[in-house]
């Protein structure tokens, strides 16, 4: 009976050891699953960041291509002006003052184009609060909404958006005698009155 008791105690001890080891393994597996989930979340965030960076890079490349295109156009204009200046220089003329005038005109035109390229084609997005970065005028211009208020009678009127300037000055093909243009910044209303 002593042997059976020792054998039972040994089995109980082994059972407890196995149970403890099983709990440790389950804890480790749980920790590994949590770590795996955190790694997956980090991987998703990295993928999202990479996607956003690719979009930003693409937008920058598009903007760079637009700027190169504008620069090419301006360089073409400058080269045309230089060619014109070269032609004027090579022409023999009895009237030297006319040639000097043309040369001065071309120099002035070239300087004006360079001035437009560096200062005028780019403006601040908020004129009253100029910032350091200027933008192309065409990128920040917004066409104002123009509507035509047509009075049916003294109490009823109808507003219709104007798509071309000729709609302001004519009604049913007839020129308007009285036209009132009113509105706040960005909003224009045209009221035409037939008397």
């Amino acid at each position: 009976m002593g042997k059976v008791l020792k054998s039972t105690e040994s089995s109980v001890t082994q059972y407890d050891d196995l149970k403890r080891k099983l709990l440790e393994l389950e804890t480790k597996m749980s920790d590994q699953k949590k770590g795996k989930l955190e790694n997956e979340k980090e991987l998703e965030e990295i993928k999202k960041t990479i996607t956003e960076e690719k979009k930003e890079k693409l937008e920058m490349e598009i903007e760079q291509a637009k700027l190169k295109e504008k620069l090419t156009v301006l360089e073409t204009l400058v080269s045309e002006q230089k060619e014109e200046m070269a032609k004027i220089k090579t022409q023999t003329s009895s009237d030297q003052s006319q040639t000097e005038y043309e040369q001065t005109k071309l120099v002035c035109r070239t300087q004006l184009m360079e001035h437009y390229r560096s200062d005028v084609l780019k403006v601040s997005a908020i004129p009253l609060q100029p910032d350091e970065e200027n933008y192309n005028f065409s990128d920040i211009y917004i066409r104002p909404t123009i509507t035509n208020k047509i009075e049916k009678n003294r109490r009823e009127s109808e507003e219709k958006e104007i798509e071309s300037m000729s709609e302001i000055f004519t009604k049913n093909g007839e020129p308007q005698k009285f036209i009132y243009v009113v509105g706040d910044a960005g909003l224009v209303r045209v009221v035409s009155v037939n008397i």
Side-chain angles (χ1 to χ4, degrees), residues 8-175:
T8 307
E9 285 177 3
S10 172
S11 295
V12 168
T13 305
Q14 286 177 350
Y15 174 76
D16 287 341
D17 286 344
L18 287 174
K19 190 174 178 182
R20 184 178 41 79
K21 286 180 182 178
L22 180 64
L23 283 172
E24 287 175 4
L25 280 174
E26 286 177 349
T27 304
K28 283 182 182 179
M29 286 177 62
S30 174
D31 290 344
Q32 286 178 350
K33 284 182 182 178
K34 287 179 184 176
K36 184 178 178 183
L37 287 175
E38 289 174 2
N39 288 341
E40 288 177 358
K41 286 180 183 177
E42 289 176 8
L43 183 62
E44 286 299 319
E45 289 177 12
I46 290 170
K47 285 180 181 178
K48 192 183 289 185
T49 303
I50 289 172
T51 304
E52 289 173 0
E53 288 177 357
K54 283 182 180 179
K55 285 180 184 177
E56 289 176 6
K57 182 180 177 186
L58 181 63
E59 289 173 359
M60 288 173 62
E61 288 174 354
I62 291 171
E63 185 65 27
Q64 185 179 16
K66 288 179 182 178
L67 290 174
K68 282 182 181 179
E69 182 180 324
K70 290 179 182 179
L71 182 62
T72 304
V73 169
L74 288 172
E75 286 174 349
T76 304
L77 290 172
V78 169
S79 68
E80 289 174 359
Q81 294 302 319
K82 286 181 180 179
E83 288 175 14
E84 192 174 326
M85 275 176 64
K87 286 179 185 178
I88 290 173
K89 286 181 182 178
T90 57
Q91 290 176 354
T92 55
S93 173
S94 60
D95 188 6
Q96 188 65 21
S97 63
Q98 181 65 23
T99 305
E100 289 175 9
Y101 169 74
E102 292 295 325
Q103 288 175 349
T104 306
K105 188 169 85 171
L106 287 174
V107 168
C108 181
R109 192 181 294 171
T110 304
Q111 289 174 348
L112 184 62
M113 284 175 23
E114 288 180 19
H115 169 70
Y116 270 43
R117 184 182 337 144
S118 64
D119 297 329
V120 177
L121 290 178
K122 295 188 177 266
V123 295
S124 174
I126 303 171
L128 297 178
Q129 295 176 339
D131 53 10
E132 293 178 15
E133 186 175 353
N134 288 329
Y135 302 94
N136 288 330
F137 180 78
S138 61
D139 293 341
I140 60 172
Y141 175 76
I142 298 173
R143 184 178 180 266
T145 304
I146 302 175
T147 58
N148 189 0
K149 184 176 181 181
I150 302 169
E151 293 190 15
K152 294 180 178 179
N153 57 41
R154 293 196 183 266
R155 292 188 182 156
E156 278 188 53
S157 63
E158 176 184 329
E159 285 196 29
K160 177 184 165 193
E161 188 168 336
I162 293 177
E163 295 184 24
S164 72
M165 295 305 280
S166 64
E167 290 181 39
I168 294 174
F169 302 106
T170 61
K171 182 177 181 182
N172 299 329
E174 296 290 322

